[in-house]
Amino acid sequence: MRHALQLTGGAALALLLCVLLAACVALPDPAARRLNADLLAAGRGWQPLDLPAGPFLLRAYAPSERAVGTLTIYIEGDGLAWVTASLPSDDPTPGDPLALRLALAQPSGAAAYLARPCQYVHSPACSVRDWTDGRFSAKVVAASSRAVDQLKARAGAQRIVLVGYSGGGAIAALVAAGRDDVERLVTVAGNLDHVVWTRLHRVTPLSASLNAADVAATLAPVHQWHWVGDRDDVLPERVVRAFLERPGGGTARRMQVMPEFDHRCCWVEHWPDLWQQMRGTPLEPLR
């Protein structure tokens, strides 16, 4: 026999519908993902904001308090950029917005959260490229910086700290390189060299994206703290190390590798302690 199993036309159609239905059920609903973030923010009295930023509307969450000296802005990761290794998502809103949870866990000082373009809010300009190979494009970086301007003005802040999680670490670095008001750059499992990252995972290069490693020298005057999990198989230490090894990167930088941490665990749970550690530790030259 050529085939161990043969299906009639009706049976084959039924099987196909079953597979498709199962796939649909498995995918998190975009509305549920948005509601999850709304509820997380509302639990701390933070308000949703939709910020016009060039061709995009960018979702932010922030408390109502104003008049602070320094505002810390947390930038989200790539979210649900891909459904499978070969199928991009049609909505990159994260199912678990880890950067938002980090922002809400900050134990002191003023904080706000900034999503990536096309997360939570769809703009007519959104295209799949904005969360796939162009996720760190000049257009995306410029829009993020405009949104940072608005959050800073809303809070009445004079200076900002940028904290980027995962792909948000690249955006934070690229935004910081174009500004003169960044007091500190912090990345958590940050994608600071996407060329090294795509080669490591043998995936398609991000050909329409800027690379954070290319602005390492520009960021030399900025104090930096880069957190890495020693069990992070998504963005391991070598990706951050490639950024730090670029010439001219300055000395006011620190990379700390956390034992037992991976790409998601256990940043939020330990963030209050890690935050206090950053606040209380003077930066020393990298060894």
Side-chain angles (χ1 to χ4, degrees):
M1 294 178 62
R2 262 185 98 169
H3 300 286
L5 175 65
Q6 291 184 344
L7 298 175
T8 66
L13 177 59
L15 178 61
L16 176 61
L17 290 175
C18 181
V19 171
L20 291 175
L21 179 60
C24 290
V25 170
L27 292 177
D29 178 73
R33 286 177 262 153
R34 290 189 288 271
L35 178 60
N36 180 44
D38 286 344
L39 292 175
L40 284 171
R44 288 285 303 275
W46 286 27
Q47 305 166 352
L49 306 166
D50 291 337
L51 307 176
F56 302 112
L57 277 176
L58 267 64
R59 170 60 58 92
Y61 292 99
S64 57
E65 291 84 357
R66 299 171 182 266
V68 300
T70 300
L71 174 67
T72 301
I73 299 173
Y74 290 74
I75 301 178
E76 189 55 78
D78 294 341
L80 187 62
W82 293 85
V83 177
T84 69
S86 59
L87 178 64
S89 169
D90 61 2
D91 187 319
T93 299
D96 177 19
L98 194 140
L100 175 58
R101 295 198 290 124
L102 288 175
L104 296 171
Q106 182 175 303
S108 61
Y113 166 82
L114 181 62
R116 304 274 289 282
C118 311
Q119 295 178 349
Y120 305 102
V121 181
H122 184 80
S123 306
C126 285
S127 71
V128 171
R129 172 164 265 199
D130 296 320
W131 56 87
T132 55
D133 68 322
R135 68 187 71 177
F136 310 135
S137 69
K139 176 178 68 171
V140 166
V141 173
S144 301
S145 192
R146 289 180 184 179
V148 166
D149 286 338
Q150 294 174 64
L151 289 171
K152 178 186 173 186
R154 182 180 181 276
Q158 301 301 313
R159 304 283 292 170
I160 58 173
V161 173
L162 294 178
V163 181
Y165 165 68
S166 192
I171 296 294
L174 290 163
V175 168
R179 305 180 66 96
D180 61 5
D181 57 355
V182 177
E183 187 174 284
R184 180 173 288 198
L185 169 66
V186 180
T187 66
V188 178
N191 192 347
L192 293 175
D193 193 328
H194 68 69
V195 174
V196 170
W197 178 69
T198 54
R199 287 174 181 166
L200 174 66
H201 291 289
R202 298 180 181 179
V203 296
T204 304
L206 304 184
S207 57
S209 289
L210 303 174
N211 191 8
D214 293 338
V215 299
T218 304
L219 290 169
V222 180
H223 285 204
Q224 302 168 43
W225 197 302
H226 305 290
W227 296 96
V228 181
D230 76 340
R231 293 189 175 183
D232 191 342
D233 295 328
V234 179
L235 281 157
E237 177 183 347
R238 73 179 74 175
V239 177
V240 177
R241 181 67 67 182
F243 168 85
L244 295 173
E245 289 175 350
R246 287 293 186 102
T251 59
R253 305 178 300 168
R254 183 184 183 108
M255 179 180 70
Q256 185 149 340
V257 181
M258 297 298 295
E260 309 298 322
F261 282 45
D262 60 27
H263 196 60
R264 302 196 67 84
C265 176
C266 306
W267 300 110
V268 175
E269 297 85 341
H270 292 276
W271 193 244
D273 291 337
L274 300 181
W275 177 261
Q276 298 293 5
Q277 182 180 338
M278 285 190 292
R279 294 288 296 269
T281 304
L283 289 175
E284 300 175 351
L286 284 165
R287 295 182 176 85

